[in-house]
Amino acid sequence: MGGGEEEADRQCWQENATGRMWRKRCSIENNYIPSSSSSSSVSASGDSEEEDMGFLEVTVPDMKHPSPELGPMPDGLSPQQVVRRHILGSIVQSERSYVDSLKRILQDYRHPLMEMEPKALSARKCQVVFFRLKEILHCHSMFQIALFSRVAEWDTTEKIGDLFVASFSKSMVLDVYSDYVNNFTNAMSVIKKACLTKPVFLEFLKKRQMASPDRVTLYGLMVKPIQRFPQFILLLQDMLKNTPTGHPDRLSLQLALTELETLAEKLNEQKRVADQIAEIQQLIRSVSDRSSLNKMLNSGQHQLLLCETLTETVYGDRGQLIKSKERKVFLLNDMLVCANINFKPVSTRGQLEISSLVPLGPKYVVKWNTALPQVQVVEVGQENSTYDKDNVVIQNAGAKKHASASQSSNKVYLGPPRLFQELQDLQKDLAVVEQITLLISTLHGTYQNLNMTVAQDWCLALQRMMRVKEEEIHSANKCRLRLLLPGKTDKSGRPISFMVVFITPNPLSKISWVNRLHLAKIGLREENQPGWMCPDEDKKSKAPFWCPILACRIPAFSSNALDLQLGAVVHNPVQSSLLGFSAVSTSLPQGYLWVGGGQEGAGGQVEIFSLNRSVPRTVKSFPVASQVLCMEYIPEKSKEEQEEGKAEDSRAAADQPSAPHPTICLGLQDGSILVYGSVDTGTQCLLTCSPGRQPVLCLKHSPEYLFAGLQNGTVAAYARNNGGLWDLEAQPTCLEVGAGPVRTLLTLDDTVWASCANQVTVLDAASLQAQQTFEAHPDEEASVTHMIKAGSGVWMAFSSGSSIRLFHTETLEHLQEINIATRTTFVLPGQKNVRVTSLLICQGLLWVGTDQGIIVLLPVPRLEGIPKITGKGMVSLNGHCGPVEFLAVAISTLAPDVLKNDKEEEGGQEEKPDGPSPELSALDKPPAGEMRKKGILLKYRLHSTSHLPGQLLSVKDAPPAPGGSTLEHSEEDGSIYEMADDPDIWVRSRPCTRDTHRKEISSVAIISGGRGYRNFNPSSKLPACSETDSTLLIWQVPLML
């Protein structure tokens, strides 16, 4: 196929007549035309601004189309068909309810407010509150018409996926939903302000709610568009799960999931950019026009990486808490800003100050700001290793002022510094008691209460107390963010620093701050300024922090005397319990990196790096007989597999070895396969064999077999022996797949794909029989060199040409082709002869390495859909001087106990004297979405309006109080923010309760290997291509929170 840019969006499916009818109706009946002055966020300033806002009214015709209804269930349906029918019924009922809710908003709220005299809400504010709702209703009215015809013919066709593709792949859907989501916080603030200032508006809302059958508030109705796509995705996931392979609707459902996920990701990105701009603008308005900070913020060079309300605490010399106050902390790409939340709802005359009610949040007063490179994170107990205590003054502002008050109180709060001092005291006491024990052992007489038993009890008691104190310190570290900041010099010119202590809402927040501070500092290095180029994309999308950041570049081999070529790399994840809290948050994924290579026709070399730090270091290096061409990491069997193995091997000989630990398999140029134990760095060679003199080009494993792709077109399959290791001594099962070399293997659920020349053979992983062979490229000279799976698709690269191709895992249908050369020409103009040398998919990004040393990133969906390229992607300005020999991912998870928020944490009740929030206790149970295998990727961060005076916005009202006439709200309604397995929604300014149930956090790094290092930025001062030795580049990705 041709490999032009137009191929990026090539669709490989045909929409049916219903889809064409849908598009035709939209083009005729849709009166919405975007105006050039339209914006995604609408200002809600005063009523005096009644000028045109760029809106064009949309007439939503009251079409009397019949509601979709399923007929009686036919006889003879399979269980899956029955389930699919029920899911379709859920889709129909869900869509009907959603459209009815949209109509209620317009008919019960918007229209009466627009017609009301005198007006409770101005026409302009009505436009702000109900922004884009007409267009959203129009989209779903059209979808409902198409859904009706699809439901009517369901029992004959059983197809629904293509309807979702046709309906929600339009740019109009993205536009209207993006505008609505970005404006939601603004709209809610207008509603709340009107409730406070206009009793007639509050009375109107109260009457409308009372008159509704379900008593859902206006807020509860308006949050439904934000929930719609997560609901669709969950329903389609269920439908796909109950659609068998080979069903005509299966590919359409996978494509529909792709479209919905792509739409959700675009909404996420636009929402993120809108929130970033809004927060920075709010901060700018709070800074003096003449200040240097104002000029820096207005320069447009600063990007907001993280902002959160944290509690600043001040401790006295004895470790007692003196005061605590909420601060708004902003992490920009090159500075840290701390501001007071300057919200004063009551004036000097005791009346409400309406001018202080701003739509986007409270006003701030900047307390301090500092350059990011000078900020250090200091954990409790690690002060001596972080800074010189003689040059540090721990901030104790207000200590004198509050000293008498704290002393007069019977409460004494001990802060983390006091905890560490108490631990040191216990350590000293234990040393003394041990000396006493030695002296007691020298006594000749026997004395009551002065013997070895008593002395040993003393030692054991002190050791228990130390363990308790260590746990208290560890718990204190979980939610305490201690930052060392540069201060002014003293009279003698000595530099003085000061300490600021913040309490984060939970351990997850603390981890996020430490990790993002660390990566933001790395992002300021010259090689990351910028690190990526986004061809033809909006400048707003060039946020370097959201891209992988080049953390380091290191030599691949410790011996520079030999000219060693890179062959392969694998990550061996090993948890380290010795790492501190901040080390876990900033280090690369825990474990070891095995790098193999050598000289062609000569010996090989293996280098093992430890990743339990921010820069890897070599821990072991050893030679092997021949050049290493490939590696495979084989994890330990799961508990279920081990139990099955024990049952099967119960009659085996007693001297059989037990189930092995994780292993590393090496394939060599001379045809040997070596199996090493991967426990730490022992590197014990457990097995070795030589299936022939044919070089081992690739290795893959399934639960039953180890597969080796050989130079002569054969796949050798080794079965496990009774001990769980591969039986390399026995003759392997050899499968001939072609005359050329087997360059790459791919294991899927129950099959193995083996490439030979331009064809791929699909083998049954259990019977080892060939199922079918298909052509992956029309050019016979273009051999398949790489295969990588994501979702329901496989991307392939070839030995010639610059294209990569996508195939469906089930139908083997060719779905998409992308020409990588169109991306690399932005870095190296005129270089059109590009060859892909490596592939990797990780976290929704397809990494493509080329023979020019350039690395390209292309966005792909993450769910069960088809991994189509959904955007133009990015090109790395950091690469190699020669071909990118490999791309690999290192992933590890943080231990679950790191995330536990200990209820007995020292000082845990200091900053929250009112006790736990009642709405959180109502949400302690994990949401139903927790049981799902995969979550939804929507991450709208709905800024809470809880900082504004008045009642909390909620979905449904609480039972009315006796004799009360005010509009009440139930506490548990905050759970609406936890929509559809969404981890990033905030419940009333607090992190979503679901965070407390998180089992793990993923740390991710990407490793590329090639000759030397090259920076492709033409304005960079870094050496262009000075190194020729094999080099590893390691990119770090923000923690998956």
Side-chain angles (χ1 to χ4, degrees), residues 741-968:
V742 179
R743 293 179 179 269
T744 181
L745 294 168
L746 178 66
T747 53
L748 299 181
D749 295 334
D750 52 1
T751 60
V752 179
W753 289 24
S755 75
C756 185
N758 65 330
Q759 295 187 329
V760 174
T761 300
V762 181
L763 307 170
D764 186 281
S767 65
L768 303 181
Q769 298 298 314
Q771 294 181 345
Q772 55 186 316
T773 300
F774 66 96
E775 186 181 85
H777 200 285
D779 184 2
E780 294 183 359
E781 301 299 321
S783 299
V784 180
T785 55
H786 297 85
M787 295 188 290
I788 191 78
K789 177 186 179 292
S792 301
V794 174
W795 279 102
M796 297 186 187
F798 304 91
S799 59
S800 62
S802 57
S803 294
I804 56 175
R805 305 180 119 216
L806 173 65
F807 291 85
H808 192 215
T809 57
E810 298 168 9
T811 66
L812 309 182
E813 183 180 349
H814 175 214
L815 300 177
Q816 192 179 25
E817 183 169 359
I818 297 293
N819 185 4
I820 297 300
T822 60
R823 273 76 175 178
T824 59
T825 52
F826 289 99
V827 177
L828 293 178
Q831 294 286 339
K832 295 183 179 180
N833 296 323
V834 179
R835 182 171 56 88
V836 175
T837 57
S838 50
L839 286 179
L840 174 71
I841 285 184
C842 178
Q843 292 190 355
L845 291 173
L846 173 62
W847 292 66
V848 183
T850 67
D851 60 343
Q852 298 174 338
I854 300 173
I855 296 172
V856 178
L857 256 64
L858 299 168
V860 293
R862 308 187 195 194
L863 298 182
E864 304 94 317
I866 303 299
K868 294 193 311 173
I869 303 300
T870 55
K872 295 187 177 180
M874 304 177 293
V875 181
S876 175
L877 294 178
N878 295 292
H880 296 279
C881 303
V884 180
E885 299 293 349
F886 54 69
L887 286 164
V889 60
I891 299 180
S892 69
T893 56
L894 274 65
D897 61 324
V898 174
L899 303 179
K900 292 179 181 177
N901 196 354
D902 194 348
K903 294 181 179 179
E904 298 179 359
E905 176 185 346
E906 178 66 24
Q909 310 254 338
E910 301 163 9
E911 295 75 33
K912 299 178 182 178
D914 297 332
S917 176
E919 77 265 24
L920 296 183
S921 60
L923 301 173
D924 281 342
K925 296 182 179 180
E930 282 275 322
M931 304 303 294
R932 295 189 173 271
K933 183 178 179 181
K934 294 184 180 180
I936 302 307
L937 302 176
L938 279 179
K939 299 175 185 173
Y940 307 121
R941 186 178 291 277
L942 303 180
H943 289 272
S944 171
T945 57
S946 62
H947 59 274
L948 300 173
Q951 296 151 339
L952 293 171
L953 295 171
S954 66
V955 180
K956 288 189 177 182
D957 65 318
S965 60
T966 59
L967 191 63
E968 297 291 342

Side-chain angles (χ1 to χ4, degrees), residues 29 173 222 546 622 712:
E29 295 184 29
V173 177
M222 291 190 65
W546 298 101
F622 60 92
N712 63 355

Side-chain angles (χ1 to χ4, degrees), residues 237-308:
Q237 282 180 315
D238 287 340
M239 184 70 86
L240 180 61
K241 186 170 62 175
N242 290 279
T243 303
T245 302
H247 192 285
D249 196 30
R250 188 166 173 85
L251 178 57
S252 298
L253 285 171
Q254 291 166 336
L255 290 168
L257 272 175
T258 297
E259 292 295 341
L260 291 174
E261 184 187 347
T262 302
L263 179 61
E265 285 291 343
K266 289 179 179 177
L267 289 176
N268 285 339
E269 180 62 18
Q270 293 188 12
K271 179 63 175 169
R272 182 187 69 81
V273 173
D275 284 349
Q276 171 183 313
I277 294 172
E279 287 286 0
I280 290 184
Q281 290 299 318
Q282 185 66 27
L283 184 61
I284 290 174
R285 287 194 290 268
S286 304
V287 179
S288 170
D289 293 341
R290 299 181 179 179
S291 68
S292 58
L293 178 60
N294 186 287
K295 295 178 182 178
M296 286 191 290
L297 293 175
N298 273 309
S299 66
Q301 301 299 315
H302 298 274
Q303 293 162 335
L304 183 64
L305 308 182
L306 187 63
C307 70
E308 192 174 5

Side-chain angles (χ1 to χ4, degrees), residues 381-485:
Q382 298 176 357
E383 289 86 349
N384 291 334
S385 61
T386 308
Y387 61 90
D388 182 3
K389 297 188 74 171
D390 294 335
N391 290 332
V392 174
V393 176
I394 296 180
Q395 185 192 32
N396 57 355
K400 296 180 180 178
K401 182 178 177 181
H402 293 270
S404 59
S406 62
Q407 290 173 1
S408 61
S409 171
N410 292 328
K411 297 181 181 179
V412 178
Y413 298 109
L414 299 180
R418 182 69 176 181
L419 290 176
F420 188 66
Q421 182 61 47
E422 290 173 354
L423 176 62
Q424 288 182 320
D425 292 343
L426 288 172
Q427 291 170 338
K428 293 176 182 177
D429 291 347
L430 178 61
V432 173
V433 171
E434 286 174 344
Q435 292 178 357
I436 294 174
T437 303
L438 290 174
L439 292 174
I440 290 176
S441 66
T442 62
L443 294 175
H444 295 287
T446 302
Y447 306 96
Q448 187 177 4
N449 295 332
L450 190 61
N451 53 53
M452 287 298 294
T453 302
V454 173
Q456 289 172 355
D457 287 344
W458 290 349
C459 292
L460 291 174
L462 283 169
Q463 289 170 353
R464 283 195 297 268
M465 292 171 68
M466 287 171 58
R467 282 196 296 270
V468 170
K469 197 60 62 178
E470 287 171 349
E471 290 174 1
E472 290 178 353
I473 291 174
H474 182 63
S475 179
N477 275 344
K478 286 184 179 181
C479 291
R480 279 178 171 77
L481 180 65
R482 305 174 79 224
L483 302 178
L484 187 65
L485 308 175

